[in-house]
Amino acid sequence: MRVALTKGTLRIPPTYFALTHAQLMQSAHHFEMFSLVADVRVETSIPIHDYVPAVGLGFRRREIVMPAFIPAMVSGLRKFRPDIIHQHFGTWSAPATQAARRSQVPLVTTLHGADVFTLSSRPSTAMARWHRFNMAGTSRQSDRLLAVSEFLAGAAVSAGLPSKKLEVHYQGVDTDYFKPLDERLEETTREGLPVVLFVGGLSEGKGIRDLVMASQILSKTARHRLVIAGDGQLKAEVLQAAWQFPHIELVGSLNRHSVRDWMRSARVLVVPSREHRGAREAAGLVALEAAACGTPVVAYDSGGLREMMIPDSTGLLVQEGQLDELAQAIRAIIELPEHSYMGMGGTARKFVEVERSLSKSCRELGEHYADLTMRAS
């Protein structure tokens, strides 16, 4: 089967999910990736096409002129002659919807969260209206809509997307890549103060401000290192906190290998994502990556995060915005007896292997492809 993967923009890192499934499934299908603007800095066996020229202008400047090159991407998609088109995000879906309609091939769209939440408020800018236009096309043209969590599926129906087209498809993580260290190395890396880890954007929606304050509360009774991996609009605040409180360390944006190293050596990963401007975390793959490494997770009970863990077995859930409870939950993991801690980490690993692995996700995705192409034939 010839599968065209489509996305408005493609940046790897950090958007590994756009290609991970294809790389595992390419022995059964021929995949090629199509986007308007791409910046891929990792090796991949999947051919990648982008259509806005003048790479030397930089990613952001090329984004400005993306609409002008939609016809070129539609033409490229049709020349590829796909059996099915798989669009990531309902926004910037115009090339995929137009190509699917003109070539009369099935279109499956994975909804990731930000796209659905564009429908939660009245559009007040030209870009917001453009996103609405694309979402309308996605709703109309897609033969199937895949939501990355039950939470997001519910939000999509509430936003007006057709329930008859919606199914939940969890994005799995590679359990062969994200896995614990052997016991000897794990003991070495856990020497000294326990590491409390955050991986994500430094933004209000990701809850970094809450975590910094909770860490300050926790530092009064439990010594630890708060390691923050990421970048974003709140970077200056985080740097100020790191200057004021020596136990806080900002390590910046990291590649996939370095993220895995930190997850393996951390005592706990914290995912304090919270409501911001009507949106919540749709899934939270970072929680699954840590769990696959055998590292327990503390998270806000927000959005789809509950679906990424077994509360009280693979980690702890905290009511959104409760800083004292967040600090207490982190402390509870830090102070677990070692046999209990290893048991929680083992359960976390098993949960991902059985319920949220990339291999399981790929099997399910292959079934969607087969079903849609069979119906179209």
Side-chain angles (χ1 to χ4, degrees), residues 9-89:
T9 61
L10 180 68
R11 302 191 84 170
I12 307 177
T15 319
Y16 294 97
F17 68 79
L19 293 181
T20 50
H21 291 75
Q23 289 171 329
L24 191 60
M25 298 171 69
Q26 59 187 333
S27 61
H29 308 292
H30 176 69
F31 290 89
E32 295 195 15
M33 182 82 207
F34 297 80
S35 68
L36 290 165
V37 179
D39 180 15
V40 178
R41 303 188 182 188
V42 297
E43 291 186 8
T44 176
S45 56
I46 308 298
I48 297 173
H49 312 275
D50 65 345
Y51 293 90
V52 177
V55 175
L57 289 177
F59 194 90
R60 295 302 182 191
R61 289 185 179 181
R62 294 170 71 205
E63 280 187 304
I64 296 172
V65 296
M66 283 167 53
F69 293 89
I70 288 175
M73 183 168 162
V74 173
S75 178
L77 281 165
R78 297 193 68 196
K79 287 179 181 177
F80 175 59
R81 299 179 65 85
D83 296 301
I84 191 168
I85 298 174
H86 184 173
Q87 166 73 16
H88 282 282
F89 287 92

Side-chain angles (χ1 to χ4, degrees), residues 135-214:
M135 288 297 291
T138 298
S139 175
R140 181 173 55 252
Q141 188 63 43
S142 296
D143 297 276
R144 188 158 298 166
L145 299 168
L146 302 179
V148 297
S149 65
E150 292 281 359
F151 162 77
L152 186 62
V157 172
S158 297
L161 295 176
S163 59
K164 64 182 181 180
K165 292 184 177 182
L166 268 163
E167 294 193 30
V168 175
H169 177 240
Y170 292 111
Q171 302 283 287
V173 301
D174 186 348
T175 54
D176 290 330
Y177 185 81
F178 290 99
K179 59 184 179 181
L181 292 168
D182 62 57
E183 186 175 356
R184 181 183 59 81
L185 289 175
E186 190 169 35
E187 289 175 353
T188 300
T189 55
R190 292 191 192 278
E191 286 180 351
L193 295 178
V195 170
V196 176
L197 179 65
F198 171 91
V199 178
L202 307 185
S203 65
E204 292 187 36
K206 294 297 184 181
I208 185 59
R209 188 177 282 152
D210 283 18
L211 177 55
V212 167
M213 290 189 288

Side-chain angles (χ1 to χ4, degrees), residues 265-283:
S265 60
R267 184 74 174 179
V268 59
L269 176 85
V270 185
V271 190
S273 298
R274 57 177 300 159
E275 185 276 334
H276 180 60
R277 295 180 179 176
R280 281 188 165 88
E281 189 81 67

Side-chain angles (χ1 to χ4, degrees), residues 209-229:
R209 188 177 282 152
D210 283 18
L211 177 55
V212 167
M213 290 189 288
S215 176
Q216 294 171 25
I217 295 170
L218 179 64
S219 67
K220 298 174 183 178
T221 56
R223 297 182 66 210
H224 66 282
R225 290 173 61 199
L226 173 60
V227 174
I228 299 169

